[in-house]
């Protein structure tokens, strides 16, 4: 059984996080609460009028200093579906190109009174740094090789959509673990929720000390996938590697790529996941990415609901989630 941690033991549960820096700060109760809240918001996206007044009057700034398709767009959609005003800052059009520091950028944004800054940055710890200097909520949308908590939460929500519980599942994560903030959040989240996490990849992609997070390192990709309930492939994070850490992409695809033959080793009802963007034919073959076992686009759909939940919980929307799902 997963040992339930409580943020405020002995009292009625209350979500008590102004900032979302990572899965590490969240208890299993927090994780369950965020996912339950996201599940209650999910149907809003299927309505003819996809909007509720929950965050009317709130201002959310998306400060993305690295490229993003899914995370930036889904935070913006999430905020807009809850009637918040959203504004986006991209690195190429910001004054960071003129030498302004991240803290100065954030202080200037704060001078315009936003309620939350959603930040993506190449430096691990950038969200915590901002929180030391400014007062509004900070939500980490991916910091360096550290964490990508909303991705970890949407991955857990997607698994729960298809399996009775995360507890007791074998989850294989294959690829560039060392440079992946998704891996950082997923390993922490999956193990907190009671899964057995098995990692595989070239030695140069397996970070020192990862077993201290509770994950096992398999000798081969086949061992990791054997009887797995979930197989997640990760992109090679070339942007975080100074020198090539593998001989060639072709060789990597042969040794570690997820193909049909490897997938046969997993349980028949295996879920195939990938945080995106996918390099088809490298970490995963197209027929696997598009096959019946793939829940990759479900992950993206759940991303909107999870980000609605995170904005709602950190910005203190109306007290009852039920209230918000009734138009
Ligand atoms: N999964 C993810 O973070 O994708 P983006 O880089 O497109 O946001």
């Amino acid at each position: 059984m997963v040992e339930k941690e409580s943020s405020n033991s002995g009292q009625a549960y209350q979500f008590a996080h102004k900032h979302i820096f990572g899965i590490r700060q969240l208890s299993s109760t927090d994780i369950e609460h965020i996912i339950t809240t996201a599940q209650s918001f999910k149907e809003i996206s299927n309505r003819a009028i996809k909007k509720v007044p929950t965050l009317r009057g709130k201002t959310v700034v998306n400060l993305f200093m690295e490229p993003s398709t899914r995370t930036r767009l889904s935070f913006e959609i999430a905020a807009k579906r809850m009637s918040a005003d959203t504004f986006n800052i991209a690195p190429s059009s910001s004054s960071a190109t003129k030498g302004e520091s991240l803290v100065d950028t954030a202080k200037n944004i704060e001078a315009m009174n936003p309620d939350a800054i959603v930040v993506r940055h190449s430096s691990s710890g950038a969200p915590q740094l901002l929180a030391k200097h400014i007062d509004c909520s900070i939500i980490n949308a991916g910091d360096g090789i550290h964490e990508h908590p909303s991705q970890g939460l949407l991955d857990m929500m997607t698994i729960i959509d298809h399996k009775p519980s995360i507890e007791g599942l074998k989850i294989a994560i294959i690829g560039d673990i060392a440079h992946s903030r998704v891996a950082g959040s997923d390993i922490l989240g999956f193990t907190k929720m009671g899964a057995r996490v098995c990692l595989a990849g070239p030695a140069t992609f397996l970070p020192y000390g990862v077993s201290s997070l509770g994950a096992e390192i398999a000798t081969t990709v086949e061992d990791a996938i054997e009887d797995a309930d979930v197989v997640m492939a990760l992109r090679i994070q070339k942007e975080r590697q100074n020198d090539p850490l593998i001989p060639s992409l072709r060789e990597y695809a042969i040794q570690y790529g997820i193909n049909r033959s490897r997938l046969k080793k997993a349980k028949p009802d295996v879920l195939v996941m990938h945080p995106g963007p996918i390099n088809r034919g490298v970490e995963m073959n197209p027929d696997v990415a598009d096959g019946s076992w793939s829940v990759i686009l479900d992950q993206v759909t759940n991303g909107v609901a999870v980000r609605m939940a995170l904005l709602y919980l950190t910005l203190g929307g109306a007290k009852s989630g039920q209230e918000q799902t009734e138009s």
Side-chain angles (χ1 to χ4, degrees), residues 172-175 200 221-222 224-225 231-234 252-264 266 270-274 279-289 293:
I173 305 180
I174 314 296
V221 65
E222 286 77 13
I225 293 177
V231 173
M232 176 169 310
L234 298 175
Y252 177 85
I254 292 168
Q255 282 200 43
Y256 297 100
I258 309 300
N259 54 34
R260 274 176 185 264
S261 141
R262 289 201 164 113
L263 209 53
K264 280 191 187 138
V270 66
L271 302 179
V272 168
M273 302 179 74
H274 193 302
N279 286 304
R280 289 169 177 258
V282 180
E283 65 264 19
M284 186 178 282
N285 279 3
D287 59 341
V288 171
W293 41 67

Short mmCIF file of all heavy atoms in Angstrom, two decimals, residues 172-175 200 221-222 224-225 231-234 252-264 266 270-274 279-289 293:
data_model
loop_
_atom_site.label_atom_id
_atom_site.label_comp_id
_atom_site.label_asym_id
_atom_site.label_seq_id
_atom_site.Cartn_x
_atom_site.Cartn_y
_atom_site.Cartn_z
N ALA A 172 8.18 1.15 -17.29
CA ALA A 172 9.52 1.21 -17.90
C ALA A 172 9.72 2.59 -18.52
O ALA A 172 8.85 3.06 -19.27
CB ALA A 172 9.66 0.12 -18.96
N ILE A 173 10.82 3.22 -18.20
CA ILE A 173 11.17 4.52 -18.82
C ILE A 173 12.48 4.29 -19.57
O ILE A 173 13.48 3.90 -18.98
CB ILE A 173 11.31 5.64 -17.78
CG1 ILE A 173 10.04 5.76 -16.93
CG2 ILE A 173 11.62 6.97 -18.46
CD1 ILE A 173 10.07 6.87 -15.86
N ILE A 174 12.43 4.54 -20.89
CA ILE A 174 13.56 4.19 -21.75
C ILE A 174 14.12 5.45 -22.40
O ILE A 174 13.37 6.24 -22.98
CB ILE A 174 13.11 3.23 -22.90
CG1 ILE A 174 12.22 2.10 -22.37
CG2 ILE A 174 14.31 2.71 -23.68
CD1 ILE A 174 12.87 1.16 -21.40
N GLY A 175 15.43 5.60 -22.34
CA GLY A 175 16.06 6.68 -23.10
C GLY A 175 16.95 7.58 -22.27
O GLY A 175 17.66 7.12 -21.38
N ALA A 200 15.97 2.13 -18.51
CA ALA A 200 16.98 1.55 -19.41
C ALA A 200 17.43 2.60 -20.41
O ALA A 200 16.62 3.44 -20.84
CB ALA A 200 16.42 0.32 -20.14
N VAL A 221 17.11 -3.03 -22.50
CA VAL A 221 15.78 -2.46 -22.71
C VAL A 221 14.71 -3.55 -22.63
O VAL A 221 13.60 -3.32 -22.12
CB VAL A 221 15.76 -1.66 -24.05
CG1 VAL A 221 15.96 -2.54 -25.24
CG2 VAL A 221 14.50 -0.86 -24.18
N GLU A 222 15.06 -4.76 -23.09
CA GLU A 222 14.10 -5.87 -23.04
C GLU A 222 13.75 -6.22 -21.59
O GLU A 222 12.59 -6.48 -21.27
CB GLU A 222 14.67 -7.11 -23.74
CG GLU A 222 14.68 -7.03 -25.27
CD GLU A 222 15.81 -6.17 -25.83
OE1 GLU A 222 16.76 -5.83 -25.06
OE2 GLU A 222 15.76 -5.81 -27.02
N ALA A 224 13.79 -4.18 -19.07
CA ALA A 224 12.94 -3.10 -18.53
C ALA A 224 11.50 -3.27 -19.00
O ALA A 224 10.55 -3.06 -18.23
CB ALA A 224 13.49 -1.74 -18.97
N ILE A 225 11.33 -3.67 -20.26
CA ILE A 225 9.98 -3.76 -20.84
C ILE A 225 9.25 -5.04 -20.42
O ILE A 225 8.02 -5.07 -20.40
CB ILE A 225 10.07 -3.64 -22.39
CG1 ILE A 225 10.53 -2.23 -22.77
CG2 ILE A 225 8.75 -3.96 -23.06
CD1 ILE A 225 10.72 -2.00 -24.26
N VAL A 231 5.03 1.62 -20.90
CA VAL A 231 6.37 1.86 -21.48
C VAL A 231 6.41 3.31 -21.93
O VAL A 231 5.59 3.74 -22.75
CB VAL A 231 6.66 0.92 -22.67
CG1 VAL A 231 7.97 1.31 -23.35
CG2 VAL A 231 6.70 -0.53 -22.21
N MET A 232 7.34 4.06 -21.36
CA MET A 232 7.49 5.46 -21.74
C MET A 232 8.86 5.65 -22.39
O MET A 232 9.87 5.25 -21.83
CB MET A 232 7.37 6.37 -20.53
CG MET A 232 7.64 7.80 -20.93
SD MET A 232 7.25 9.04 -19.73
CE MET A 232 5.63 8.67 -19.23
N ALA A 233 8.85 6.23 -23.59
CA ALA A 233 10.12 6.54 -24.25
C ALA A 233 10.39 8.03 -24.13
O ALA A 233 9.45 8.85 -24.14
CB ALA A 233 10.04 6.15 -25.72
N LEU A 234 11.66 8.38 -24.00
CA LEU A 234 12.04 9.79 -23.86
C LEU A 234 12.91 10.22 -25.04
O LEU A 234 13.72 9.43 -25.54
CB LEU A 234 12.83 10.00 -22.57
CG LEU A 234 12.09 9.69 -21.27
CD1 LEU A 234 13.05 9.81 -20.09
CD2 LEU A 234 10.89 10.61 -21.08
N TYR A 252 21.42 4.05 -31.82
CA TYR A 252 20.53 4.19 -30.66
C TYR A 252 19.17 3.55 -30.95
O TYR A 252 18.61 2.82 -30.12
CB TYR A 252 20.35 5.68 -30.32
CG TYR A 252 19.39 5.89 -29.16
CD1 TYR A 252 19.84 5.83 -27.85
CD2 TYR A 252 18.03 6.10 -29.39
CE1 TYR A 252 18.97 5.98 -26.78
CE2 TYR A 252 17.15 6.26 -28.33
CZ TYR A 252 17.62 6.19 -27.03
OH TYR A 252 16.75 6.33 -25.98
N ALA A 253 18.64 3.85 -32.16
CA ALA A 253 17.32 3.31 -32.53
C ALA A 253 17.35 1.78 -32.52
O ALA A 253 16.41 1.14 -32.05
CB ALA A 253 16.91 3.84 -33.89
N ILE A 254 18.44 1.22 -33.01
CA ILE A 254 18.54 -0.26 -33.05
C ILE A 254 18.59 -0.82 -31.63
O ILE A 254 17.91 -1.78 -31.30
CB ILE A 254 19.78 -0.69 -33.87
CG1 ILE A 254 19.59 -0.32 -35.34
CG2 ILE A 254 20.07 -2.18 -33.71
CD1 ILE A 254 20.86 -0.41 -36.18
N GLN A 255 19.35 -0.19 -30.77
CA GLN A 255 19.57 -0.76 -29.42
C GLN A 255 18.47 -0.41 -28.43
O GLN A 255 18.18 -1.19 -27.53
CB GLN A 255 20.90 -0.25 -28.86
CG GLN A 255 22.08 -0.98 -29.46
CD GLN A 255 23.30 -0.84 -28.56
OE1 GLN A 255 23.20 -0.96 -27.35
NE2 GLN A 255 24.43 -0.56 -29.16
N TYR A 256 17.86 0.77 -28.58
CA TYR A 256 16.93 1.23 -27.54
C TYR A 256 15.55 1.68 -28.05
O TYR A 256 14.65 1.92 -27.25
CB TYR A 256 17.55 2.40 -26.75
CG TYR A 256 18.79 1.98 -26.02
CD1 TYR A 256 20.05 2.25 -26.53
CD2 TYR A 256 18.70 1.27 -24.82
CE1 TYR A 256 21.20 1.83 -25.87
CE2 TYR A 256 19.84 0.85 -24.16
CZ TYR A 256 21.08 1.14 -24.69
OH TYR A 256 22.21 0.72 -24.04
N GLY A 257 15.40 1.79 -29.37
CA GLY A 257 14.12 2.26 -29.91
C GLY A 257 12.98 1.29 -29.56
O GLY A 257 13.16 0.07 -29.53
N ILE A 258 11.80 1.85 -29.28
CA ILE A 258 10.64 1.01 -28.96
C ILE A 258 9.98 0.62 -30.28
O ILE A 258 9.48 1.46 -31.02
CB ILE A 258 9.62 1.76 -28.07
CG1 ILE A 258 10.32 2.38 -26.85
CG2 ILE A 258 8.50 0.81 -27.64
CD1 ILE A 258 11.01 1.41 -25.93
N ASN A 259 10.03 -0.70 -30.55
CA ASN A 259 9.39 -1.24 -31.75
C ASN A 259 8.42 -2.34 -31.35
O ASN A 259 8.34 -2.71 -30.18
CB ASN A 259 10.45 -1.73 -32.75
CG ASN A 259 11.41 -2.73 -32.10
OD1 ASN A 259 10.99 -3.50 -31.23
ND2 ASN A 259 12.67 -2.69 -32.48
N ARG A 260 7.69 -2.85 -32.33
CA ARG A 260 6.67 -3.86 -32.03
C ARG A 260 7.26 -5.09 -31.36
O ARG A 260 6.67 -5.67 -30.45
CB ARG A 260 6.00 -4.32 -33.34
CG ARG A 260 4.86 -3.43 -33.75
CD ARG A 260 4.32 -3.89 -35.09
NE ARG A 260 3.30 -2.96 -35.52
CZ ARG A 260 2.00 -3.14 -35.33
NH1 ARG A 260 1.56 -4.23 -34.75
NH2 ARG A 260 1.15 -2.24 -35.75
N SER A 261 8.40 -5.50 -31.85
CA SER A 261 8.99 -6.73 -31.31
C SER A 261 9.34 -6.55 -29.82
O SER A 261 9.06 -7.43 -29.00
CB SER A 261 10.19 -7.08 -32.20
OG SER A 261 11.22 -7.56 -31.47
N ARG A 262 9.91 -5.43 -29.48
CA ARG A 262 10.24 -5.17 -28.06
C ARG A 262 8.95 -5.06 -27.23
O ARG A 262 8.89 -5.53 -26.11
CB ARG A 262 11.05 -3.88 -27.92
CG ARG A 262 12.45 -4.02 -28.45
CD ARG A 262 13.42 -3.00 -27.89
NE ARG A 262 14.76 -3.45 -28.17
CZ ARG A 262 15.61 -2.85 -28.99
NH1 ARG A 262 15.28 -1.71 -29.57
NH2 ARG A 262 16.80 -3.36 -29.21
N LEU A 263 7.94 -4.42 -27.81
CA LEU A 263 6.71 -4.19 -27.06
C LEU A 263 5.99 -5.50 -26.73
O LEU A 263 5.24 -5.57 -25.75
CB LEU A 263 5.79 -3.27 -27.90
CG LEU A 263 4.83 -2.37 -27.13
CD1 LEU A 263 5.54 -1.54 -26.08
CD2 LEU A 263 4.10 -1.48 -28.12
N LYS A 264 6.23 -6.54 -27.53
CA LYS A 264 5.59 -7.85 -27.26
C LYS A 264 5.99 -8.40 -25.90
O LYS A 264 5.32 -9.25 -25.35
CB LYS A 264 5.97 -8.84 -28.36
CG LYS A 264 5.16 -8.66 -29.62
CD LYS A 264 5.37 -9.81 -30.58
CE LYS A 264 4.67 -9.50 -31.90
NZ LYS A 264 5.46 -9.88 -33.05
N ALA A 266 6.07 -6.71 -23.19
CA ALA A 266 5.28 -6.06 -22.13
C ALA A 266 3.95 -6.79 -21.96
O ALA A 266 3.64 -7.73 -22.71
CB ALA A 266 5.02 -4.61 -22.54
N VAL A 270 -0.46 -3.15 -22.34
CA VAL A 270 0.52 -2.09 -22.04
C VAL A 270 0.06 -0.74 -22.59
O VAL A 270 -0.60 -0.68 -23.63
CB VAL A 270 1.91 -2.48 -22.63
CG1 VAL A 270 1.86 -2.51 -24.16
CG2 VAL A 270 2.99 -1.53 -22.16
N LEU A 271 0.41 0.32 -21.88
CA LEU A 271 0.20 1.68 -22.38
C LEU A 271 1.54 2.20 -22.89
O LEU A 271 2.55 2.08 -22.19
CB LEU A 271 -0.26 2.61 -21.26
CG LEU A 271 -1.54 2.26 -20.50
CD1 LEU A 271 -1.80 3.31 -19.41
CD2 LEU A 271 -2.73 2.18 -21.45
N VAL A 272 1.53 2.77 -24.08
CA VAL A 272 2.75 3.39 -24.62
C VAL A 272 2.62 4.89 -24.46
O VAL A 272 1.62 5.49 -24.89
CB VAL A 272 2.95 3.00 -26.10
CG1 VAL A 272 4.04 3.87 -26.73
CG2 VAL A 272 3.31 1.53 -26.22
N MET A 273 3.64 5.49 -23.85
CA MET A 273 3.59 6.93 -23.57
C MET A 273 4.85 7.63 -24.07
O MET A 273 5.91 7.00 -24.23
CB MET A 273 3.43 7.17 -22.05
CG MET A 273 2.20 6.51 -21.48
SD MET A 273 2.02 6.75 -19.69
CE MET A 273 1.50 8.45 -19.60
N HIS A 274 4.72 8.90 -24.31
CA HIS A 274 5.87 9.75 -24.71
C HIS A 274 5.46 11.19 -24.40
O HIS A 274 4.36 11.59 -24.75
CB HIS A 274 6.16 9.57 -26.20
CG HIS A 274 7.48 10.14 -26.63
ND1 HIS A 274 7.82 11.47 -26.46
CD2 HIS A 274 8.55 9.56 -27.24
CE1 HIS A 274 9.04 11.67 -26.94
NE2 HIS A 274 9.51 10.53 -27.42
N ASN A 279 10.80 11.97 -31.76
CA ASN A 279 11.64 11.78 -32.95
C ASN A 279 11.32 10.38 -33.47
O ASN A 279 11.87 9.38 -33.00
CB ASN A 279 13.12 11.91 -32.60
CG ASN A 279 13.48 13.36 -32.35
OD1 ASN A 279 13.27 14.21 -33.20
ND2 ASN A 279 13.99 13.65 -31.17
N ARG A 280 10.39 10.33 -34.41
CA ARG A 280 9.91 9.05 -34.92
C ARG A 280 11.05 8.29 -35.59
O ARG A 280 11.85 8.87 -36.31
CB ARG A 280 8.78 9.27 -35.94
CG ARG A 280 7.51 9.72 -35.27
CD ARG A 280 6.48 10.19 -36.27
NE ARG A 280 5.26 10.56 -35.56
CZ ARG A 280 4.17 9.78 -35.49
NH1 ARG A 280 4.15 8.62 -36.13
NH2 ARG A 280 3.13 10.16 -34.81
N GLY A 281 11.12 7.01 -35.29
CA GLY A 281 12.18 6.18 -35.88
C GLY A 281 13.47 6.23 -35.07
O GLY A 281 14.42 5.53 -35.37
N VAL A 282 13.50 7.08 -34.03
CA VAL A 282 14.68 7.10 -33.15
C VAL A 282 14.28 6.43 -31.82
O VAL A 282 14.54 5.25 -31.63
CB VAL A 282 15.21 8.53 -32.91
CG1 VAL A 282 16.43 8.51 -32.00
CG2 VAL A 282 15.58 9.18 -34.25
N GLU A 283 13.59 7.17 -30.93
CA GLU A 283 13.22 6.54 -29.66
C GLU A 283 11.97 5.67 -29.78
O GLU A 283 11.71 4.84 -28.91
CB GLU A 283 13.05 7.58 -28.54
CG GLU A 283 11.90 8.55 -28.73
CD GLU A 283 12.34 9.85 -29.36
OE1 GLU A 283 13.42 9.89 -29.98
OE2 GLU A 283 11.58 10.84 -29.25
N MET A 284 11.22 5.85 -30.86
CA MET A 284 9.98 5.07 -31.01
C MET A 284 9.62 4.98 -32.49
O MET A 284 9.71 5.98 -33.21
CB MET A 284 8.86 5.78 -30.24
CG MET A 284 7.57 5.02 -30.19
SD MET A 284 6.34 5.92 -29.20
CE MET A 284 6.87 5.54 -27.54
N ASN A 285 9.21 3.78 -32.91
CA ASN A 285 8.80 3.63 -34.31
C ASN A 285 7.40 4.22 -34.51
O ASN A 285 6.58 4.18 -33.59
CB ASN A 285 8.79 2.14 -34.70
CG ASN A 285 10.19 1.65 -35.04
OD1 ASN A 285 11.16 2.39 -34.92
ND2 ASN A 285 10.30 0.40 -35.45
N PRO A 286 7.12 4.74 -35.70
CA PRO A 286 5.80 5.35 -35.95
C PRO A 286 4.65 4.39 -35.68
O PRO A 286 3.62 4.81 -35.14
CB PRO A 286 5.86 5.74 -37.43
CG PRO A 286 7.31 5.92 -37.72
CD PRO A 286 8.04 4.93 -36.85
N ASP A 287 4.78 3.10 -36.04
CA ASP A 287 3.64 2.19 -35.83
C ASP A 287 3.38 1.96 -34.34
O ASP A 287 2.25 1.63 -33.95
CB ASP A 287 3.84 0.87 -36.58
CG ASP A 287 5.10 0.13 -36.16
OD1 ASP A 287 6.00 0.76 -35.56
OD2 ASP A 287 5.19 -1.08 -36.41
N VAL A 288 4.38 2.15 -33.50
CA VAL A 288 4.17 2.05 -32.05
C VAL A 288 3.54 3.34 -31.53
O VAL A 288 2.56 3.32 -30.78
CB VAL A 288 5.51 1.76 -31.32
CG1 VAL A 288 5.35 1.87 -29.82
CG2 VAL A 288 6.02 0.38 -31.71
N ALA A 289 4.07 4.46 -32.00
CA ALA A 289 3.53 5.77 -31.54
C ALA A 289 2.05 5.93 -31.92
O ALA A 289 1.29 6.57 -31.19
CB ALA A 289 4.35 6.91 -32.14
N TRP A 293 -2.11 0.76 -28.55
CA TRP A 293 -1.63 0.86 -27.16
C TRP A 293 -1.18 2.28 -26.80
O TRP A 293 -0.91 2.57 -25.65
CB TRP A 293 -0.46 -0.11 -26.95
CG TRP A 293 0.46 -0.09 -28.12
CD1 TRP A 293 1.25 0.92 -28.52
CD2 TRP A 293 0.62 -1.13 -29.09
NE1 TRP A 293 1.90 0.60 -29.67
CE2 TRP A 293 1.54 -0.65 -30.05
CE3 TRP A 293 0.09 -2.41 -29.25
CZ2 TRP A 293 1.93 -1.41 -31.15
CZ3 TRP A 293 0.48 -3.16 -30.34
CH2 TRP A 293 1.40 -2.65 -31.28
#
